[in-house]
Amino acid sequence: MAIRRRAAKYRRISDDREGRELGVTRQDEDLDLLGERLNLDFVADFVDNDISASTKSQKKRPDYQRMLAGARAGEFEVIAAYTSGRLTRRPREHEDLIDLAVQYGIEFAYVRSPSFDLRTAQGRRIARTLAAQDAGEAEEIAERVQRDTLRRAKAGLWHGGSIAPQGYELVHGEKDRVIGLRLHPTQSALLQEGARRLLAGESLYAICNDWNSRGLTTRDGAHWRSSTLRRALLSPSAIAKRAHKDAPGELFDTDWPALLERDTWDRLHDLLGDPKRKFQAIDGSYAGKRAMGGGVSVCDPCGKKLISQRHSRNGQVRLICHRQATGGCGVVTINYALLESFVLDMLLARLDSPEFHAALATKPTDTTDQERALRDELEQLEVQRKRAGQSFVLGIMTEAEAQQAVREVEERQAKISGELASLVASLVVSEVRSADDARKLWASADVSRRRRFVQSFVTEVRVKPWPEGRCSTLTRRKTESEEEFTERKWEHDRETARLRIDIRWRQ
């Protein structure tokens, strides 16, 4: 009677989009037959489903690592797999298998690959040759797949995945094959609502919180998250385009319907495109529940952004020029409530002024053409900037000439970007025709919408140091009541604010 040896099964499939594990199940049946033929007693079973073992894959294979540890611990003597390529296609990992054979006496058995004794030099040489061929074959397959995906992208075809982008659903053709996309009847309208609300000044967080409170979910039935909404609205598929990593910066036309207009999508990219963007309060900073500074508020002496900080003793929020956080001078500190109240009052007064209404009457109601022209100019300027660098490399320009050309282009880019920001800000300005409109908007708005409102009218709030010779602390007089003292103190603070705060308005 033949001695039965302890063995471990290892099964793996690279791509299991349906999640049915049919590939590893078929491998299991063949490995059972192999075990009967070789008198193997399977004492361990390791499975890595939907994980590639190619040289390009970055995904970890947890069961593969557990199998190696079990082999080193002497839990089994043989490792059985469907082919040698099921174990690994990486020559470096193949050396680990050779170490198992040489140091721990592990043997390898395959259903569809030849088996060699890795404890001999001849066996190791043949195995290494086959491993190199496996790696080369895997890389050639990857290149063919990559070329085909680029071809499909350029042709505007769906990449073949089984999951549609948010706002869409899959269209199936013959044999249930996915052939394209169509708008989801409810999710598409929800995303379009989200785009309008974002451009009107609401935050991602506020919109998602509203949808979740109303019981509205994503296509998969999950709660809405800011990252999910942001990704859906910024995806090229939302404007019926496709992108590909091998063609950076290019967008290819598709045949599925657009969820958003291109101008809307561009505006959303301006608003949400910065990966460092986080939820902030009113004009750009956050401390406690409602703090303003750090956005348009800057230190007048050094020009650094003010950051908000809650006082450790009285809990009040103040804006400070912080030496360590921003590299500022540390000279300016101002009470946040006072600053916000002053800026808001000045803004309301400006909205009631004849000058504002005269300027408003001359503003175009539709800025689409202007925006498109500015974006086109930005693209042309970027081409000029790259051309200047290439001219230096080719010897057409000296280094100094190329640097000067780049500086001139970047200055123009900064100016165009400022004009574009002003046009985008007009989305909020168009809702406000008077101070009464502003008060209503302010009363009903959340923090993010208030921030958007302020930034639509104000480019910068410069705060100066405390005026020299001006009293910083008032005491109550014997002859005045508490109400009189409060009023006098408020007037003193307001007058100080007029001396310290310089508001730069958008034109």
Side-chain angles (χ1 to χ4, degrees):
M1 182 177 178
I3 299 175
R4 297 185 68 83
R5 292 178 295 170
R6 294 173 301 150
K9 291 180 185 177
Y10 181 75
R11 296 169 290 154
R12 180 187 63 79
I13 187 171
S14 299
D15 189 2
D16 183 16
R17 293 185 178 181
E18 296 180 356
R20 297 164 62 186
E21 301 190 4
L22 296 179
V24 294
T25 301
R26 287 191 290 267
Q27 292 176 36
D28 186 43
E29 296 168 354
D30 289 338
L31 286 170
D32 284 339
L33 295 175
L34 178 69
E36 291 178 9
R37 190 168 69 250
L38 300 180
N39 290 314
L40 301 179
D41 185 11
F42 289 114
V43 297
D45 190 4
F46 303 96
V47 179
D48 285 317
N49 192 49
D50 199 19
I51 301 177
S52 172
S54 72
T55 56
K56 299 291 185 181
S57 175
Q58 301 295 320
K59 206 171 182 180
K60 293 183 178 180
R61 294 189 288 159
D63 261 27
Y64 179 79
Q65 296 301 325
R66 282 194 286 269
M67 181 189 69
L68 297 184
R72 297 186 190 105
E75 296 176 3
F76 39 82
E77 306 159 80
V78 180
I79 293 176
Y82 190 77
T83 64
S84 59
R86 291 299 94 192
L87 281 176
T88 184
R89 291 180 180 271
R90 304 173 185 174
R92 289 183 181 180
E93 286 187 352
H94 197 76
E95 293 300 316
D96 294 334
L97 303 182
I98 291 177
D99 290 342
L100 288 181
V102 174
Q103 298 178 25
Y104 300 94
I106 298 296
E107 296 181 32
F108 297 89
Y110 305 109
V111 175
R112 297 296 182 189
S113 293
S115 301
F116 302 98
D117 187 352
L118 298 182
R119 292 169 295 183
T120 66
Q122 183 75 1
R124 289 192 292 272
R125 184 177 69 176
I126 297 175
R128 284 179 174 128
T129 301
L130 292 177
Q133 291 177 351
D134 278 345
E137 179 184 355
E139 291 179 359
E140 287 176 0
I141 291 173
E143 287 180 356
R144 290 198 297 270
V145 170
Q146 194 167 357
R147 284 197 299 270
D148 187 60
T149 58
L150 179 58
R151 177 193 65 80
R152 291 180 62 84
K154 288 182 176 180
L157 301 175
W158 176 240
H159 61 65
S162 59
I163 300 177
Q166 292 289 348
Y168 288 91
E169 58 185 7
L170 300 175
V171 178
H172 294 86
E174 295 181 0
K175 297 182 180 180
D176 205 32
R177 182 180 179 183
V178 178
I179 58 174
L181 299 175
R182 63 180 169 224
L183 292 177
H184 191 283
T186 57
Q187 293 291 320
S188 59
L190 196 62
L191 290 175
Q192 289 163 353
E193 174 196 327
R196 289 192 298 270
R197 292 172 65 173
L198 277 168
L199 292 177
E202 289 190 63
S203 67
L204 289 165
Y205 174 82
I207 296 170
C208 291
N209 194 41
D210 174 43
W211 288 351
N212 291 332
S213 67
R214 289 158 52 191
L216 302 175
T217 63
T218 67
R219 177 201 55 232
D220 304 319
H223 286 300
W224 281 99
R225 300 171 61 90
S226 298
S227 57
T228 305
L229 178 56
R230 179 182 182 277
R231 186 166 53 249
L233 293 177
L234 297 187
S235 170
S237 61
I239 53 171
K241 299 284 187 180
R242 275 207 60 186
H244 195 278
K245 64 180 181 179
D246 289 341
E250 290 189 66
L251 294 177
F252 306 108
D253 293 330
T254 68
D255 58 358
W256 62 74
L259 177 71
L260 301 173
E261 296 292 336
R262 180 59 188 264
D263 291 330
T264 300
W265 191 73
D266 286 337
R267 285 171 170 170
L268 288 171
H269 265 270
D270 287 341
L271 184 65
L272 304 176
D274 183 0
K276 297 180 180 179
R277 181 182 181 271
K278 298 179 180 179
F279 171 76
Q280 297 174 323
I282 303 179
D283 88 328
S285 77
Y286 181 78
K289 293 184 178 179
R290 292 173 182 267
M292 182 172 167
V296 298
S297 304
V298 301
C299 172
D300 188 68
C302 69
K304 298 292 185 181
K305 298 286 187 180
L306 298 182
I307 66 170
S308 48
Q309 184 182 80
R310 191 171 293 280
H311 200 286
S312 59
R313 290 194 300 273
N314 58 27
Q316 292 184 350
V317 176
R318 57 186 179 178
L319 304 182
I320 66 173
C321 181
H322 204 285
R323 293 181 187 274
Q324 294 179 336
T326 64
C329 61
V331 172
V332 167
T333 300
I334 191 168
N335 178 273
Y336 159 70
L338 175 65
L339 178 71
E340 182 188 279
S341 175
F342 180 80
V343 172
L344 181 59
D345 284 350
M346 296 299 102
L347 176 53
L348 294 176
R350 180 177 176 82
L351 294 179
D352 274 338
S353 68
E355 293 79 10
F356 172 76
H357 288 284
L360 193 64
T362 62
K363 286 183 177 293
T365 56
D366 185 3
T367 62
T368 302
D369 292 339
Q370 286 180 271
E371 286 187 55
R372 187 178 292 111
L374 290 173
R375 293 185 199 281
D376 290 344
E377 187 170 353
L378 278 177
E379 291 181 4
Q380 294 170 8
L381 287 169
E382 181 61 22
V383 172
Q384 293 178 25
R385 190 180 69 82
K386 292 179 179 178
R387 190 177 297 154
Q390 293 171 351
S391 297
F392 168 65
V393 172
L394 296 173
I396 301 173
M397 285 185 177
T398 65
E399 182 176 3
E401 290 172 340
Q403 289 177 346
Q404 177 62 26
V406 169
R407 276 196 298 270
E408 291 175 357
V409 169
E410 288 178 344
E411 288 175 2
R412 180 61 182 163
Q413 283 177 319
K415 183 178 179 182
I416 296 298
S417 296
E419 294 177 14
L420 193 57
S422 297
L423 284 177
V424 173
S426 66
L427 287 171
V428 176
V429 176
S430 63
E431 299 179 35
V432 178
R433 316 297 291 189
S434 67
D436 287 339
D437 290 343
R439 291 185 183 93
K440 291 176 183 177
L441 185 150
W442 189 270
S444 62
D446 64 1
V447 176
S448 62
R449 190 166 171 80
R450 289 183 176 185
R451 180 186 71 244
R452 185 77 170 148
F453 173 76
V454 170
Q455 292 178 332
S456 297
F457 293 96
V458 177
T459 60
E460 196 173 62
V461 177
R462 300 192 72 88
V463 183
K464 303 173 184 178
W466 191 268
E468 187 176 352
R470 187 168 181 82
C471 178
S472 60
T473 304
L474 295 182
T475 57
R476 181 180 171 185
R477 298 167 181 165
K478 293 181 180 180
T479 57
E480 64 183 353
S481 64
E482 187 67 34
E483 292 78 9
E484 291 172 336
F485 171 66
T486 300
E487 184 178 353
R488 181 167 65 89
K489 185 176 183 303
W490 180 251
E491 288 298 329
H492 177 82
D493 291 342
R494 295 283 291 182
E495 182 58 33
T496 305
R498 291 188 183 91
L499 296 173
R500 298 188 62 192
I501 300 174
D502 181 17
I503 303 174
R504 310 287 174 87
W505 303 102
R506 287 194 185 276
Q507 300 300 319

